[in-house]
C-alpha cells in the first residue's frame, strides 16, 4: 500500500516538474524569437497585399481595354456584378448559338419553327437590352429569370420535334460551335477580381499583425497561421487556372474562413503567452524565486509594457506580506 | 467711423459665409469619393468575395 502511495506521489511530483519545465521552455522559446524571423512573414504579406491591378493584369496578359473597363466599373456597379453580367451575356450567346443549330436541323426536316423563332427573337432582344457595364444586381436577377423562362419554353417545344438520336447529333454540333465562342477575358476578369479581393483581405491581416507587434507582442505563434493564410493563393488562386468551378470557390472560401479562425484563436493565445512571458521576465528581474514567478504568471492579469514593473512589485510585496502575516 | 465698422462687420460676415460654404463643399466631395470601402477589421474579411467561372448557370436548349 505504501509503495502504491509512493508511486502516485512520485508521478504527481514528476507531472508538476514537467509542467513547470514546459512553461519555462515555452517562455524561453518565446523570448528567443527574433525580429528577423517575424518580419520575414510580414514582408511576404506586404508583397502580396500591395499587388496592383496593373501588375495582375500584366501577369494575366489581359488586354488593356478589359482592364480599363474593370477600373471603370469599380466606381459604379463593382467588378463582381460586372463579371456576372459578362457571364450572363456569354450564356445568352451560347443559348442563341445552340438555338441556331436546332432551328437549322428542324428546318431541314421541314418542321414548322415559327414558335421557336419567336422565342429566339425574345432571347435576342434580351441580349440587346443588356449592357454589362451598367446593369445592376436587380436588373441582372430580372434578365437571368427571363432567360431561364425562355430556355424552358424553347426546350419544351423543341423537345417534342426531334428524336433522341437527332438530339444527340444537334448536341454534338452545338458543342463544336459553342467552343468557338470561348471568351478568355471573362475568366481573366474573374482571376483579377479574386486576386484583388484576396490582396484586400491580406492587407487587413498584415495591418492586424503590425498592430499586434506595436502592442509589443511577438508574432512567433502567429507566424504559421500567417503563412497558412498566405499559402491560400498558391493553392487556389493560380493565374493560369482555367474553368474555376463553384466547388473550387466554395472550397477556397471555407479554407480561408478556417485559417482565419485559427489565426484569431492563436492571436488570443499569443497575447496570453506574451503576458506570461512579460510577468515571468519581470519577476526574475525583481529577484523572485522561480516558484513565485510561475505562480505570478498564472495569477497576475491586465499587465502591459507600461505597468508591468509596478504590477510585479505590488504582487511581490503583497505576496511577501501575506507570507509574513502567515508566519 | 460707424460706417467703417459697419463695412468691416459686413465684410467679415461675407468672408465667414464664403468659408463655411467652401467647407461644406469639401465635405460633400469627400463623402462622395469614399464610396469604395476598404475593410479594416478581421471580421470584415471573414468572407472572401471571390467568383467562379460559372456563377451564372442556365439549362442547355437540347
Amino acid at each position: 500500500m505504501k509503495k502504491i502511495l509512493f508511486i502516485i506521489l512520485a508521478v504527481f511530483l514528476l507531472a508538476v516538474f514537467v509542467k513547470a519545465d514546459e512553461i519555462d521552455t515555452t517562455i524561453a522559446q518565446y523570448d528567443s524569437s527574433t525580429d528577423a524571423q517575424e518580419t520575414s512573414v510580414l514582408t511576404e504579406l506586404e508583397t502580396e497585399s500591395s499587388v496592383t491591378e496593373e501588375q495582375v493584369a500584366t501577369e494575366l496578359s489581359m488586354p488593356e481595354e478589359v482592364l480599363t473597363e474593370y477600373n471603370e466599373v469599380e466606381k459604379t456597379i463593382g467588378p463582381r456584378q460586372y463579371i456576372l453580367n459578362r457571364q450572363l451575356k456569354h450564356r445568352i450567346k451560347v443559348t442563341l448559338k445552340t438555338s441556331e443549330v436546332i432551328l437549322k436541323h428542324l428546318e431541314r426536316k421541314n418542321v414548322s419553327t415559327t414558335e421557336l423563332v419567336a422565342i429566339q427573337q425574345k432571347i435576342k432582344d434580351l441580349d440587346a437590352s443588356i449592357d454589362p457595364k451598367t446593369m445592376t444586381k436587380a436588373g441582372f436577377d430580372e434578365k437571368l429569370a427571363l432567360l431561364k423562362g425562355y430556355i424552358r419554353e424553347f426546350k419544351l417545344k423543341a423537345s417534342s420535334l426531334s428524336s433522341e438520336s437527332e438530339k444527340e447529333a444537334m448536341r454534338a454540333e452545338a458543342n463544336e460551335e459553342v467552343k468557338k465562342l470561348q471568351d478568355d477575358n471573362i475568366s481573366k476578369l474573374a482571376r483579377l477580381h479574386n486576386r484583388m479581393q484576396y490582396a484586400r483581405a491580406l492587407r487587413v491581416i498584415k495591418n492586424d499583425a503590425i498592430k499586434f507587434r506595436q502592442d509589443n507582442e511577438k508574432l512567433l505563434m502567429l507566424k504559421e497561421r500567417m503563412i497558412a493564410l498566405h499559402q491560400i493563393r498558391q493553392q487556389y488562386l493560380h493565374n493560369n487556372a482555367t474553368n474555376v468551378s463553384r466547388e473550387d470557390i466554395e472550397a477556397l472560401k471555407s479554407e480561408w474562413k478556417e485559417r482565419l479562425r485559427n489565426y484569431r484563436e492563436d492571436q488570443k493565445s499569443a497575447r496570453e503567452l506574451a503576458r506570461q512571458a512579460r510577468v515571468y521576465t519581470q519577476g526574475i528581474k525583481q529577484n523572485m524565486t522561480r516558484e513565485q514567478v510561475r505562480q505570478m504568471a498564472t495569477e497576475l492579469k491586465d499587465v502591459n509594457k507600461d505597468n508591468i514593473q509596478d504590477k510585479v512589485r505590488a504582487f511581490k510585496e503583497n505576496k511577501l506580506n501575506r507570507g509574513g502575516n502567515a508566519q | 467711423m460707424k460706417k467703417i465698422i459697419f463695412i468691416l462687420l459686413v465684410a467679415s460676415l461675407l468672408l465667414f459665409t464664403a468659408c463655411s460654404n467652401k467647407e461644406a463643399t469639401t465635405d460633400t466631395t469627400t463623402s462622395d469619393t469614399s464610396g469604395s470601402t476598404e475593410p479594416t477589421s478581421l471580421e470584415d474579411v471573414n468572407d472572401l468575395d471571390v467568383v467562379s467561372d460559372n456563377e451564372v448557370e442556365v439549362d442547355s436548349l437540347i
Side-chain angles (χ1 to χ4, degrees):
Chain A
M1 185 64 184
K2 271 185 184 176
K3 254 187 181 178
I4 295 169
L5 277 175
F6 177 76
I7 291 168
I8 292 171
L9 196 68
V11 170
F12 176 73
L13 282 174
L14 201 66
V16 170
F17 273 120
V18 168
K19 195 168 188 307
D21 278 346
E22 238 174 59
I23 296 172
D24 292 345
T25 319
T26 315
I27 290 174
Q29 194 191 359
Y30 177 84
D31 279 339
S32 68
S33 81
T34 63
D35 276 2
Q37 283 176 318
E38 294 164 3
T39 48
S40 67
V41 189
L42 280 178
T43 310
E44 281 181 41
L45 290 188
E46 171 67 38
T47 313
E48 185 57 48
S49 66
S50 60
V51 70
T52 64
E53 284 152 5
E54 286 72 21
Q55 282 172 327
V56 181
T58 309
E59 286 173 23
L60 292 165
S61 311
M62 180 184 270
E64 210 179 310
E65 63 272 17
V66 181
L67 176 63
T68 310
E69 282 196 4
Y70 181 93
N71 286 328
E72 280 170 13
V73 296
E74 266 190 324
K75 295 164 202 134
T76 55
I77 56 169
R80 182 192 174 84
Q81 189 57 55
Y82 176 61
I83 292 163
L84 295 186
N85 294 348
R86 293 272 309 245
Q87 286 190 7
L88 178 59
K89 270 282 222 191
H90 184 72
R91 290 285 155 227
I92 294 177
K93 260 192 195 176
V94 169
T95 306
L96 284 171
K97 184 53 77 185
T98 312
S99 72
E100 280 171 23
V101 172
I102 296 171
L103 289 173
K104 199 174 71 185
H105 271 262
L106 293 177
E107 278 159 11
R108 239 185 267 148
K109 279 172 60 180
N110 283 329
V111 176
S112 167
T113 56
T114 320
E115 281 182 273
L116 291 175
V117 170
I119 303 170
Q120 188 194 47
Q121 188 54 49
K122 284 184 194 169
I123 301 175
K124 281 181 184 170
D125 293 344
L126 181 71
D127 186 31
S129 72
I130 294 174
D131 178 0
K133 284 202 278 181
T134 56
M135 190 164 67
T136 60
K137 189 183 180 308
F140 170 84
D141 290 342
E142 184 198 330
K143 309 280 181 190
L144 179 61
L146 278 173
L147 176 65
K148 284 181 175 175
Y150 296 150
I151 288 175
R152 217 172 13 249
E153 214 181 325
F154 191 102
K155 199 173 178 174
L156 197 71
K157 290 198 190 308
S159 182
S160 59
L161 302 172
S162 332
S163 66
E164 272 312 308
S165 61
E166 284 172 331
K167 278 182 197 163
E168 198 50 54
M170 285 191 272
R171 211 171 279 135
E173 192 183 331
N175 283 345
E176 283 306 307
E177 291 296 322
V178 164
K179 270 183 201 163
K180 295 175 197 161
L181 298 175
Q182 185 63 35
D183 184 355
D184 289 340
N185 286 335
I186 305 178
S187 290
K188 285 180 182 177
L189 280 166
R191 295 296 91 72
L192 172 63
H193 171 72
N194 292 350
R195 187 79 184 275
M196 297 320 293
Q197 286 300 315
Y198 170 69
R200 268 159 65 99
L202 225 48
R203 267 201 295 282
V204 175
I205 309 290
K206 183 200 72 183
N207 291 338
D208 184 79
I210 289 172
K211 169 83 176 54
F212 190 74
R213 284 190 97 235
Q214 279 166 352
D215 291 345
N216 212 19
E217 317 288 11
K218 295 190 177 196
L219 294 174
L220 179 72
M221 286 173 71
L222 297 182
K223 192 180 166 190
E224 292 308 314
R225 298 303 187 196
M226 283 157 66
I227 291 173
L229 285 162
H230 184 247
Q231 280 171 342
I232 284 264
R233 196 199 137 204
Q234 280 84 38
Q235 283 173 261
Y236 293 96
L237 295 169
H238 307 290
N239 282 342
N240 52 0
T242 48
N243 202 16
V244 177
S245 67
R246 275 188 176 189
E247 290 72 31
D248 294 336
I249 288 297
E250 284 313 311
L252 158 62
K253 281 180 173 179
S254 121
E255 194 64 47
W256 170 267
K257 227 178 225 183
E258 174 72 13
R259 293 183 194 190
L260 189 61
R261 192 174 59 80
N262 290 337
Y263 171 86
R264 289 162 75 166
E265 276 174 8
D266 277 7
Q267 195 183 57
K268 268 188 203 161
S269 312
R271 282 201 193 281
E272 174 57 18
L273 180 61
R275 183 194 65 79
Q276 284 187 357
R278 213 173 255 151
V279 170
Y280 197 95
T281 315
Q282 191 57 231
I284 299 291
K285 261 190 205 166
Q286 295 197 19
N287 300 320
M288 291 172 79
T289 64
R290 283 204 181 265
E291 200 45 53
Q292 285 174 328
V293 165
R294 277 183 205 126
Q295 191 190 344
M296 184 168 66
T298 4
E299 291 176 17
L300 198 56
K301 309 281 177 192
D302 301 325
V303 287
N304 57 46
K305 59 179 172 174
D306 301 321
N307 68 12
I308 183 73
Q309 265 187 327
D310 296 338
K311 285 260 187 180
V312 167
R313 192 173 298 121
F315 185 93
K316 185 181 165 188
E317 279 165 13
N318 191 26
K319 184 93 190 146
L320 290 176
N321 285 342
R322 267 193 288 160
N325 290 342
Q327 283 163 6
Chain B
M1 186 64 182
K2 270 184 182 175
K3 253 188 180 177
I4 294 170
I5 290 173
F6 178 73
I7 289 167
L8 279 175
L9 204 68
V10 171
S12 320
L13 199 69
L14 283 172
L15 198 68
F16 176 76
T17 317
C19 285
S20 305
N21 281 345
K22 198 183 172 195
E23 232 169 63
T25 318
T26 318
D27 281 348
T28 317
T29 319
T30 316
S31 62
D32 279 348
T33 50
S34 61
S36 63
T37 48
E38 177 81 6
T40 48
S41 74
L42 293 177
E43 286 81 12
D44 291 341
V45 292
N46 201 31
D47 292 303
L48 272 187
D49 177 25
V50 281
V51 292
S52 71
D53 285 338
N54 50 0
E55 288 292 320
V56 181
E57 277 181 319
V58 292
D59 259 2
S60 166
L61 286 179
I62 315 169

